[in-house]
Amino acid sequence: MVKIKRQIVSKAIESKVTYGGKNPVNYITVHQTGNTSRGANAKMHAKLQSNGNSRAASWHYSVDDKEVYQSFEDTAQCWHSSDGKGPGNTQSIAVEICINSDGNYRKAVENGAELVRYLLDKHGLSVDKVRQHHDWYPKNCPAQIRAGKDGITWSDFLNMVKGVKVSKPKETQTGSEQITKSSPSNGVSLDVDGKWGNSTTRALQKALNTPIDGILSGQNRNSVTNALYGNTARFDGGGSVVVRALQRKVGVRDDGVLGPETVRALQRYLGTPQDGVLSRPSTVVKEMQRRLNAGTF
Ligand SMILES: [Zn+2]
């Protein structure tokens, strides 16, 4: 595997961005950086940590298509899993896989899998101790693997970790194209304006594999649906198919009605403030549109 470059942060920085206890290393947690910028590679992420620029987060390893940087000793309790003093932060090692658009996505994931396998062996762990960030907290991370980008799903990733070579995808894409266009909701380019209209519903229907008509049918008339469509919208009662699919996705009772409880679950799923309100425009809809465009919803 590629060489691990050790660039351990100073004690002063470590004391600001870790819990300071001893990590027993019971798990390995996989993340993807969420940063598609050119140059947002392992070296840049390591530098960010060395400079103390990432005040609210910390992670042990950054890996890209060429190299691995280690920023914290394995025993550090870094802040990466959004679970407070839960097992993600206090008992696992964080591996951040870079998704910079000027890197080779598949190679970076393969290097990530190799690093995970190396860490499992080093700490005497089996592959069932590999976790997604999402297993600790309902954040969509590692987003691209979760979305099966470039044909690499989570189970493919685990197979890579086990040393099984995954089959080549039928179509390979390169450069910045791969970030926005190669996912299950291929071809979606919504305005990220935070306003949930027919085109957003259409994209959501496509992503959730429900009939595509751009109409959020079956809504009870209430403040939420009026906020979405205005008072003149047509609603036919009886619950909406796409809302039910959405509810199952975000883990709330699937009654087909887009009420405050569902909005709150959607906000939790997307990591935006949870107030159960769907204003127009709204932060949660913006994030949903962004993810629908990226194919990472
Ligand atoms: Zn993460």
Side-chain angles (χ1 to χ4, degrees):
M1 73 173 251
V2 294
K3 194 171 162 29
I4 296 175
K5 298 191 174 175
R6 281 172 54 84
Q7 190 175 311
I8 306 298
V9 307
S10 68
K11 285 284 164 204
I13 290 173
E14 183 181 354
S15 69
K16 286 185 192 139
V17 295
T18 67
Y19 281 122
K22 187 174 186 301
N23 187 333
V25 190
N26 294 329
Y27 307 95
I28 310 295
T29 302
V30 177
H31 303 263
Q32 281 173 303
T33 59
N35 188 348
T36 57
S37 303
R38 296 178 69 85
N41 54 19
K43 185 176 187 168
M44 191 281 272
H45 281 91
K47 193 173 162 194
L48 192 73
Q49 300 209 89
S50 296
N51 292 346
N53 288 343
S54 59
R55 276 167 296 189
S58 53
W59 58 95
H60 301 80
Y61 296 89
S62 305
V63 51
D64 64 21
D65 57 335
K66 295 181 189 66
E67 52 195 359
V68 176
Y69 275 84
Q70 181 178 7
S71 298
F72 292 86
E73 298 294 350
D74 292 358
T75 48
Q77 293 180 316
C78 291
W79 298 346
H80 53 93
S81 287
S82 330
D83 67 338
K85 287 202 169 185
N89 282 339
T90 63
Q91 300 176 31
S92 85
I93 294 178
V95 170
E96 280 279 1
I97 300 173
C98 297
I99 57 164
N100 47 307
S101 57
D102 55 339
N104 178 322
Y105 175 79
R106 166 169 287 265
K107 186 69 187 145
V109 172
E110 285 172 354
N111 287 346
E114 273 199 272
L115 174 61
V116 169
R117 190 172 55 199
Y118 162 79
L119 291 169
L120 289 173
D121 292 348
K122 181 177 173 186
H123 294 282
L125 300 172
S126 52
V127 75
D128 64 312
K129 301 300 182 188
V130 181
R131 294 287 185 274
Q132 302 181 10
H133 181 177
H134 183 266
D135 290 325
W136 305 120
Y137 186 82
K139 179 179 170 173
N140 188 21
C141 178
Q144 288 70 28
I145 293 176
R146 288 172 54 75
K149 177 174 154 52
D150 288 9
I152 307 170
T153 64
W154 178 247
S155 69
D156 292 329
F157 180 79
L158 292 178
N159 281 336
M160 283 184 189
V161 173
K162 289 174 197 159
V164 177
K165 198 164 166 38
V166 296
S167 58
K168 277 228 164 219
K170 288 185 196 82
E171 219 182 316
T172 52
Q173 300 185 50
T174 53
S176 56
E177 275 293 284
Q178 65 182 0
I179 301 306
T180 50
K181 299 286 173 63
S182 66
S183 51
S185 60
N186 221 339
V188 174
S189 62
L190 294 167
D191 288 341
V192 181
D193 60 4
K195 295 175 186 174
W196 189 336
N198 290 6
S199 54
T200 299
T201 298
R202 190 175 286 274
L204 187 63
Q205 289 171 325
K206 199 172 175 186
L208 296 174
N209 287 317
T210 59
I212 298 170
D213 60 5
I215 297 168
L216 203 64
S217 62
Q219 289 300 298
N220 294 330
R221 187 174 284 284
N222 60 26
S223 58
V224 172
T225 48
N226 283 343
L228 289 177
Y229 288 115
N231 295 323
T232 57
R234 178 175 65 84
F235 302 110
D236 56 17
S240 158
V241 175
V242 64
V243 171
R244 273 200 293 274
L246 176 66
Q247 288 169 324
R248 286 192 290 273
K249 176 131 192 150
V250 301
V252 71
R253 191 168 65 88
D254 56 341
D255 61 1
V257 178
L258 188 55
E261 202 189 326
T262 301
V263 172
R264 199 171 287 120
L266 179 64
Q267 290 169 327
R268 186 165 54 236
Y269 175 78
L270 292 173
T272 60
Q274 297 168 38
D275 59 4
V277 176
L278 207 57
S279 54
R280 187 182 168 88
S282 77
T283 307
V284 65
V285 173
K286 234 181 220 179
E287 177 64 10
M288 184 170 79
Q289 290 168 327
R290 201 182 62 72
R291 298 265 192 102
L292 287 168
N293 284 344
T296 55
F297 180 73

